[in-house]
Amino acid sequence: MAGSFDVVVVGAGIVGAACAYACARRGLTVVVLERAGLVAGATGSGEGNLLVSDKLPGPELELALFSNGLWRRWAAELGDRYGDIELEAKGGLVVTGVGPGADGAAGLAGLRETARAQSAAGVLVELLDPAGVREREPAITPELAGGLYYPQDMQLMPAKATAALLAAARDHGAEVRLRTEVTGMLRDDGRVVGVRTGAGPVAAGHVVNAAGAWAGKLAGLAGADTPVAPRRGFILVTEPVPPLVRHKVYSADYLANVASGDAGLQTSTVVEGTPAGTILIGATRELVDFDRRHNAEAVRRMAQGAVRLFPALAAVRAMRVYHGFRPFSPDHLPVIGTDPRIPGLVHAHGHEGAGIGLAPATAHLVAQVLTGERPDLPLEPFDPARFSSEVETAGAAA
Ligand SMILES: Cc1cc2nc3c(=O)[nH]c(=O)nc-3n(C[C@H](O)[C@H](O)[C@H](O)COP(=O)(O)OP(=O)(O)OC[C@H]3O[C@@H](n4cnc5c(N)ncnc54)[C@H](O)[C@@H]3O)c2cc1C
């Protein structure tokens, strides 16, 4: 047996790294098992936005607000000991009525309603007229109806944050084993008591499923039905330019795309700068399984939308395009907590396009569950068994 731990975390994306950090600093013995290298999954594709602006009142917004505070605390705790995670509290800007022909009045009415609801739920939000928007973003098109400003929205560099969390977890005694694929679960009288890997079995009190878009497959090894699916997204990256975009800026239809479960191509305009000077342009969403082929139409629409929002981008060259697979959950809520069907199995996945933002709160709740503390947020909305009450029987040692 290759060791025995309180917790095996499967997956070294941002959620697995955050779980390892939150558990190890509470004194649990932790090993992270990752079949590839660091940030081999969606985390390596994420823009790194930590948003409250794109969530309506409900459990996900509560998780986001909680995470927002934790990211600030964790960034201070990590300091610069593990490298700069590039946390920028730069704020977000949602705009409406962009371009000729857009229905600005309807867009503004929608934004007002969103702001009213979010504000009642604790989000800081400010309604801006076109002059107010241009004061915050001088290079934005003058052809818009108005916008909302969200001072709590932040951004960080996901790969650096993941590496920093894993390094800090190691300092608290955690082990990280890369190129170690989990291929089965160890079972004892129905309880998950560890995992099988190519390098031998690893015993553990609990197995945390942080396998991102592959979480359904991993849960299946334990006989748990978890309908998490990959939702593909492309990002267009420009050459580095002098500061042009100050905030995370996106069009209001992004909110509808995030909330939709439509399998077809959905695009909305999302633009933001990075400390390196590149500009990241998104966003697309498609349920096409793990299809890694290029989609020229998706990229064309993103580029057009970005130029409509920031006309100066027409003269900026695109440097590369990449894609990733968001872990999509059918009801748009993550899957967090112990599996009531399978003792020993704990879930931490299904965050779709918000896993970087929601990682700290998820990890905090997982650590609270594993140490027997009362969770700071209700876990019922994230119940792993909410999609199905059926448990397929897995072999005693699958
Ligand atoms: C284009 C794009 C932009 C995005 N932008 C943002 C953003 O701005 N803000 C935000 O919050 N979110 C964003 N997201 C979403 C975010 O990237 C994800 O929600 C988040 O990264 C999920 O992290 P994770 O750790 O759960 O999964 P992943 O990062 O996918 O990690 C899962 C890991 O598990 C490993 N694994 C799987 N199966 C096994 C196994 N059997 N054994 C061992 N290891 C295994 C995989 O190799 C992988 O490394 C974006 C996503 C995309 C695609």
Side-chain angles (χ1 to χ4, degrees):
M1 188 80 68
S4 178
F5 299 84
D6 293 326
V7 188
V8 164
V9 176
V10 185
I14 193 117
V15 175
C19 287
Y21 178 58
C23 289
R25 70 205 285 273
R26 280 180 151 77
L28 297 173
T29 56
V30 178
V31 62
V32 180
L33 304 177
E34 164 58 52
R35 68 177 170 199
L38 290 190
V39 299
T43 303
S45 318
E47 291 145 285
N49 294 299
L50 317 176
L51 303 183
V52 296
S53 58
D54 65 343
K55 295 166 185 73
L56 292 174
E60 197 193 14
L61 178 58
E62 284 174 32
L63 204 61
L65 286 165
F66 195 70
S67 254
N68 192 272
L70 272 181
W71 263 128
R72 290 170 199 265
R73 253 178 43 208
W74 283 14
E77 272 167 31
L78 297 170
D80 55 10
R81 254 170 306 156
Y82 307 103
D84 180 8
I85 67 169
E86 298 182 11
L87 184 79
E88 282 186 279
K90 63 181 179 181
L93 202 53
V94 181
V95 293
T96 191
V98 175
D103 187 347
L108 273 181
L111 284 192
R112 267 192 214 103
E113 180 56 26
T114 302
R116 191 199 53 72
Q118 288 175 323
S119 170
V123 174
L124 303 178
V125 49
E126 191 185 325
L127 188 64
L128 301 177
D129 62 12
V133 172
R134 280 178 63 80
E135 201 176 304
R136 294 206 174 268
E137 283 294 345
I140 206 165
T141 174
E143 291 187 53
L144 50 77
L148 296 176
Y149 172 61
Y150 293 90
Q152 288 159 306
D153 281 358
M154 302 192 287
Q155 188 181 11
L156 54 65
M157 212 297 189
K160 287 184 170 182
T162 303
L165 288 170
L166 287 174
R170 272 200 207 96
D171 277 357
H172 286 281
E175 272 186 47
V176 180
R177 298 184 193 165
L178 302 180
R179 321 229 175 273
T180 306
E181 179 163 8
V182 171
T183 53
M185 298 283 164
L186 301 176
R187 306 288 291 270
D188 181 13
D189 197 19
R191 186 182 172 87
V192 167
V193 292
V195 296
R196 293 189 180 283
T197 76
V202 182
H206 288 91
V207 173
V208 175
N209 177 356
W214 300 269
K217 211 172 157 199
L218 192 83
L221 297 177
D225 177 24
T226 304
V228 169
R231 199 175 190 192
R232 186 172 71 179
F234 285 94
I235 299 283
L236 183 60
V237 187
T238 73
E239 63 184 337
V241 291
L244 179 73
V245 184
R246 297 179 177 178
H247 305 82
K248 154 103 178 172
V249 183
Y250 60 101
S251 60
D253 57 353
Y254 175 77
L255 296 169
N257 282 1
V258 170
S260 148
D262 206 317
L265 174 65
Q266 316 249 318
T267 50
S268 47
T269 306
V270 178
V271 183
E272 69 210 292
T274 67
T278 55
I279 291 175
L280 306 180
I281 297 169
T284 69
R285 287 178 146 75
E286 293 166 280
L287 286 166
V288 288
D289 202 11
F290 288 103
D291 185 344
R292 297 190 170 276
R293 283 173 298 177
H294 184 65
N295 183 340
E297 172 61 14
V299 176
R300 191 182 60 77
R301 285 200 213 168
M302 289 193 300
Q304 277 180 344
V307 170
R308 210 175 297 130
L309 209 50
F310 287 91
L313 283 175
V316 175
R317 282 174 300 190
M319 202 166 64
R320 71 184 180 110
V321 179
Y322 63 82
H323 67 267
F325 298 102
R326 304 176 182 93
F328 169 81
S329 118
D331 63 0
H332 300 284
L333 288 176
V335 181
I336 305 171
T338 46
D339 195 314
R341 303 161 297 182
I342 307 206
L345 181 63
V346 178
H347 296 266
H349 54 80
H351 303 85
E352 218 224 294
I356 295 156
L358 302 178
T362 301
H364 178 81
L365 293 171
V366 164
Q368 286 190 312
V369 164
L370 292 181
T371 50
E373 279 174 49
R374 190 189 154 85
D376 284 329
L377 292 177
L379 283 169
E380 289 74 19
F382 313 120
D383 183 355
R386 68 188 185 275
F387 301 109
S388 147
S389 56
E390 301 212 317
V391 183
E392 291 152 31
T393 27

